[in-house]
Amino acid sequence: MNVPSTVTRAEAARLLAFFEQAGAQRVDCGILQPAEVLLDLYGEDIRGRAYVTQDPSRGEQMLRPDFTVPVVQMHMTGGAEPARYTYAGEVFRRQEDHPERENEYIQVGYEVFDRVDPDAADAEVFALFHTALAPLGLHPATGDIGILMAAVEGLDTSARRRAALMRHIWRPRRFRALLDRFAGRSPVPASRAALLRAEDALADAGPMIGLRSVAEISARIEALREDAQDRPLSEAQVAALDAVLAVRETCPFALERLRDIAVDLPAISGALDRFARRIDALDKRGVDIEHLDFEASYGRTSMEYYDGFVFGFYAAGRPDLPPVATGGRYDALTRRLGNGAEIPAVGGVIRAGLIEILGGGQ
């Protein structure tokens, strides 16, 4: 583990004070978090990125991989509305793919829970991060997962196929493979074709190994057979979805391009209205929207619980470094953790140690 330096801790304290001055309440949460909640949210993928341990009385635990999930849990069990929170502390991430990166670092965050004006809240969070990080001359990037989600929801296909695509939005290669299969662009694997042809697919399957029951396996086979009967996605739908994913412009031009695409994909119109309101809110906050980059596919590989506006701040000329800050909207996360309640929410985190590396520590 890498121990954060005194300079990094001082920078974290400065950012914490900055967010408190903006109206946030300081909060904290335990370093050990129940693994069950995180596994339910992310699936087994989280095991490859987190440190897992076993407690004899509390069961499987994880060293805190971030603050957002426990802060959402805290708010949903009794937080006031509206609410603004800030926090600072160590998080722990395994770095098997990037061993040169720190596996323990200080994360400073700011989260907003507010029903009144979500678009203004998006702009508030981004503008605060923009101001806090301005001395570093970072490059900001923005996107909106909600536009892609709306595009998938609007596809003229079965609910099962839409759900499968939605589940893999954050896994671009898997998403593309599914899209090609649903459009009939890729051949059906020989093993699957044989399975679908068989009258009794389990007749020669041999002994049952694993956790799935015969009933569960049979239901899955039946679902695959039903899927095989669905008509392919039209080339026009796939082309429209590809056009959305290809949008990469400054915000005003991105909105204009997406409005053109919406003629053929009207399901994204509501998400574009939200995008337009956010642009106006950012402009009112003094953000230079004419030069603010927008990429429709941004955030798809690292922001799994975001479902709307997403952003990041990067050090130009340092591709070896992860983003200094990331954030976005996560309304659906409050619904999943809220036991029936939900509230619009947006926030972001800053890696204080990267500010020291870039020469911006106080």
Side-chain angles (χ1 to χ4, degrees):
M1 295 290 181
N2 308 101
V3 179
S5 72
T6 54
V7 174
T8 293
R9 293 186 183 280
E11 183 62 21
R14 182 189 72 82
L15 291 167
L16 196 62
F18 174 79
F19 289 133
E20 284 186 300
Q21 290 172 1
Q25 172 189 349
R26 186 185 301 200
V27 294
D28 200 358
C29 63
I31 288 179
L32 278 178
Q33 292 292 314
E36 182 180 4
V37 174
L38 294 163
L39 287 168
D40 181 56
L41 285 171
Y42 304 122
E44 290 294 325
D45 289 353
I46 189 68
R47 290 187 188 277
R49 307 195 303 270
Y51 291 96
V52 183
T53 186
Q54 189 73 29
D55 184 276
S57 60
R58 297 183 179 180
E60 200 169 35
Q61 303 282 299
M62 286 185 183
L63 287 177
R64 182 172 61 205
D66 74 9
F67 274 85
T68 302
V69 170
V71 168
V72 171
Q73 288 180 297
M74 176 204 70
H75 178 81
M76 300 309 290
T77 56
E81 294 186 23
R84 284 158 175 77
Y85 303 112
T86 186
Y87 48 81
E90 286 90 347
V91 295
F92 306 86
R93 303 277 183 90
R94 290 167 59 181
Q95 302 289 356
E96 294 179 2
D97 294 334
H98 297 280
E100 76 283 1
R101 295 182 180 177
E102 294 181 346
N103 52 8
E104 173 187 356
Y105 55 89
I106 291 184
Q107 189 179 78
V108 184
Y110 181 79
E111 315 285 346
V112 176
F113 297 79
D114 194 341
R115 300 181 190 278
V116 176
D117 192 340
D119 307 304
D122 287 348
E124 172 190 336
V125 172
F126 181 86
L128 278 174
F129 277 56
H130 192 277
T131 299
L133 299 170
L136 296 174
L138 301 175
H139 175 75
T142 67
D144 192 333
I145 299 293
I147 295 172
L148 179 56
M149 295 176 80
V152 171
E153 286 287 2
L155 293 175
D156 181 18
T157 189
S158 67
R160 181 184 292 108
R161 287 185 168 186
R162 287 196 298 271
L165 288 168
M166 196 72 74
R167 190 163 56 250
H168 291 289
I169 277 178
W170 293 272
R171 300 174 181 86
R173 292 176 64 182
R174 178 61 176 156
F175 182 90
R176 171 53 58 184
L178 284 173
L179 193 62
D180 288 344
R181 178 159 69 85
F182 296 158
R185 291 176 171 179
S186 55
V188 177
S191 58
R192 176 172 292 187
L195 178 71
L196 297 177
R197 287 195 305 267
E199 290 187 18
D200 184 356
L202 296 179
D204 299 315
M208 299 301 297
I209 299 173
L211 299 178
R212 290 187 179 181
S213 67
V214 172
E216 289 173 324
I217 296 172
S218 298
R220 175 59 179 160
I221 293 171
E222 185 58 31
L224 290 173
R225 286 175 172 161
E226 290 178 7
D227 180 76
Q229 299 303 312
D230 287 339
R231 68 181 186 278
L233 281 170
S234 70
E235 286 298 322
Q237 289 187 90
V238 176
L241 192 53
D242 284 341
V244 169
L245 289 169
V247 170
R248 189 171 186 175
E249 294 275 3
T250 56
C251 284
F253 286 107
L255 178 60
E256 182 179 336
R257 174 69 183 124
L258 288 164
R259 291 286 194 199
D260 290 340
I261 297 170
V263 173
D264 298 314
L265 197 60
I268 67 174
S269 296
L272 297 186
D273 291 342
R274 290 190 291 275
F275 181 23
R277 293 194 298 269
R278 185 186 313 122
I279 290 175
D280 290 341
L282 287 166
D283 187 39
K284 291 175 182 177
R285 285 271 179 175
V287 176
D288 182 6
I289 58 169
E290 299 296 331
H291 295 92
L292 180 61
D293 287 342
F294 177 91
E295 183 178 350
S297 62
Y298 178 70
R300 292 182 63 203
T301 59
S302 58
M303 301 181 174
E304 294 174 58
Y305 48 65
Y306 295 129
D307 54 10
F309 175 52
V310 286
F311 66 85
F313 287 85
Y314 298 81
R318 291 298 304 269
D320 57 311
L321 294 180
V324 177
T326 56
R329 176 157 293 281
Y330 50 88
D331 296 351
L333 183 62
T334 72
R335 184 162 54 252
R336 291 190 66 178
L337 298 177
N339 296 317
E342 60 182 283
I343 182 173
V346 60
V349 295
I350 298 172
R351 292 184 60 155
L354 294 180
I355 296 177
E356 178 184 356
I357 290 174
L358 295 170
Q362 300 297 308

